């Protein structure tokens, strides 16, 4: 057999094979959720923490490209409004407004979770705000008429998160290869799928009473939290398929050329 014919015989299956292998990058996700609480009210700042650690992404699945963390916190309980005016016959019931400020934190460590160490803060949530210099609160309000030397309680701690006094804050954080300035980067979530990324939940709730004369407010609460995570990753898939039109056309041309060559010789 001539050398040119041998080359053609080799080229034929190679060209035909061009239609049988295809490579594509596919995007897939792995997701899950964890929940924490209830954790109770406390007189100190960020001194109660709940473990919300999540499993790492299994690097054998593909290349991690994005981490989405959806964090929410709900606090519930009961507010007691006090009218401290004396019941002297001239004082009457008065309107008392209680404002509630909620703060939730998702931290990378349960140590140093304070205003002095914000580098551990992964996500911070707030419903309302508080200015310590002016003692001004802005947040959900609860209003009741209260008789002198009496108190009125709104909500019931035993009701759980269905209490009349319940507020929720939520947010979502996305981390990819370009994310900077956060407690965690994309690489911190990559592992074998069984080890964990340490995350902790903490809460702070404050109240203030607004009324003429002497009035007070007390707030007994518990808090729950949830964290949903989604790992988005890419993977290269090589799939087999039938020969494409170009492969068939090239193969036919080579075959016809070989036949014509044989007739001429």
């Amino acid at each position: 057999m001539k050398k040119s014919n041998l080359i053609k015989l080799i080229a034929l299956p190679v060209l035909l094979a061009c239609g049988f292998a295809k490579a594509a990058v596919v995007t897939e996700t792995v997701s899950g959720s964890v929940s924490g609480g209830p954790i109770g009210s406390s007189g100190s700042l960020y001194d109660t923490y709940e473990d919300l650690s999540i499993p790492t992404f299994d690097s054998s699945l593909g290349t991690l490209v994005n981490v989405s963390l959806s964090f929410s916190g709900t606090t519930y309980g009961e507010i007691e409004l006090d009218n401290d005016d004396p019941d002297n016959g001239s004082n009457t019931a008065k309107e008392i407004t209680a404002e509630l400020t909620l703060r939730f934190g998702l931290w990378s460590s349960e140590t140093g979770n304070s205003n002095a160490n914000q580098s551990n803060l992964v996500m911070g949530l707030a419903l309302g705000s508080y200015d310590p210099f002016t003692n001004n609160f802005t947040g959900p309000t609860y209003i009741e008429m209260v008789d002198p030397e009496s108190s009125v309680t709104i909500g019931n701690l035993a009701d759980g998160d269905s209490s009349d006094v319940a507020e929720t804050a939520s947010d979502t954080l996305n981390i990819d290869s370009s994310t900077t300035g956060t407690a965690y980067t994309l690489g911190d979530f990559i592992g074998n799928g069984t080890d964990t990324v340490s995350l902790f939940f903490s809460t702070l709730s404050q109240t203030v009473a607004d009324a003429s004369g002497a009035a007070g407010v007390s707030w007994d609460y518990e808090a729950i939290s949830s964290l949903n995570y989604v790992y988005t990753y890419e993977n290269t898939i090589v799939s087999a398929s039938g020969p494409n039109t170009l492969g068939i056309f090239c193969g036919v041309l080579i075959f016809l050329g070989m036949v014509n060559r044989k007739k001429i010789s």
Side-chain angles (χ1 to χ4, degrees):
M1 181 182 292
K2 293 183 178 181
K3 184 176 181 181
S4 61
N5 288 340
L6 178 61
I7 294 174
K8 293 174 182 176
L9 287 174
I10 295 174
L12 177 59
V14 171
L15 288 172
L16 288 174
C18 292
F20 287 87
K22 291 183 178 180
V25 176
V26 297
T27 300
E28 300 181 85
T29 61
V30 175
S31 61
S33 62
V34 293
S35 58
I39 56 178
S41 54
S42 172
S44 301
L45 181 65
Y46 300 125
D47 63 349
T48 304
Y49 316 108
E50 184 79 11
D51 189 347
L52 287 183
S53 297
I54 62 175
T56 58
F57 169 73
D58 186 352
S59 59
S60 66
L61 296 176
T63 302
L64 183 65
V65 295
N66 184 271
V67 176
S68 177
L69 301 176
S70 297
F71 173 53
S72 67
T74 299
T75 187
Y76 55 89
E78 54 189 26
I79 294 178
E80 183 179 281
L81 304 177
D82 302 313
N83 183 349
D84 297 326
D85 289 340
D87 188 5
N88 55 14
S90 61
N91 289 328
T92 60
K94 66 181 178 182
E95 183 179 85
I96 302 178
T97 300
E99 285 193 90
L100 175 63
T101 298
L102 310 178
R103 302 178 189 177
F104 301 95
L106 183 66
W107 305 84
S108 61
S109 170
E110 66 175 343
T111 59
N113 293 358
S114 68
N115 288 340
N117 192 359
Q118 293 293 307
S119 62
N120 287 337
L121 185 63
V122 179
M123 295 177 69
L125 307 176
L127 185 63
S129 62
Y130 170 62
D131 184 346
F133 298 102
T134 62
N135 198 36
N136 289 328
F137 284 76
T138 58
T141 59
Y142 302 88
I143 303 173
E144 281 290 338
M145 295 296 295
V146 184
D147 292 328
E149 295 183 356
S150 298
S151 64
V152 173
T153 299
I154 307 173
N156 185 346
L157 185 60
D159 290 342
D161 56 6
S162 63
S163 170
D164 293 336
V165 180
E167 302 292 344
T168 298
S170 61
D171 198 8
T172 298
L173 173 67
N174 287 293
I175 300 174
D176 57 28
S177 58
S178 64
T179 301
T180 59
T182 62
Y184 283 122
T185 61
L186 191 65
D188 294 318
F189 294 89
I190 300 174
N192 58 20
T194 58
D195 50 350
T196 59
V197 179
S198 296
L199 293 164
F200 299 89
F201 162 64
S202 70
T203 184
L204 170 68
S205 182
Q206 296 175 295
T207 56
V208 65
D210 182 18
S212 59
V217 58
S218 58
W219 168 228
D220 188 15
Y221 76 92
E222 291 183 341
I224 57 176
S225 63
S226 65
L227 176 63
N228 298 322
Y229 61 92
V230 179
Y231 293 137
T232 301
Y233 65 97
E234 294 179 344
N235 200 2
T236 301
I237 302 297
V238 178
S239 60
S241 63
N244 57 35
T245 303
L246 179 61
I248 295 174
F249 180 72
C250 292
V252 171
L253 289 179
I254 292 175
F255 177 74
L256 292 176
M258 292 172 61
V259 171
N260 292 334
R261 179 76 174 176
K262 183 175 181 181
K263 287 181 179 179
I264 294 173
S265 60

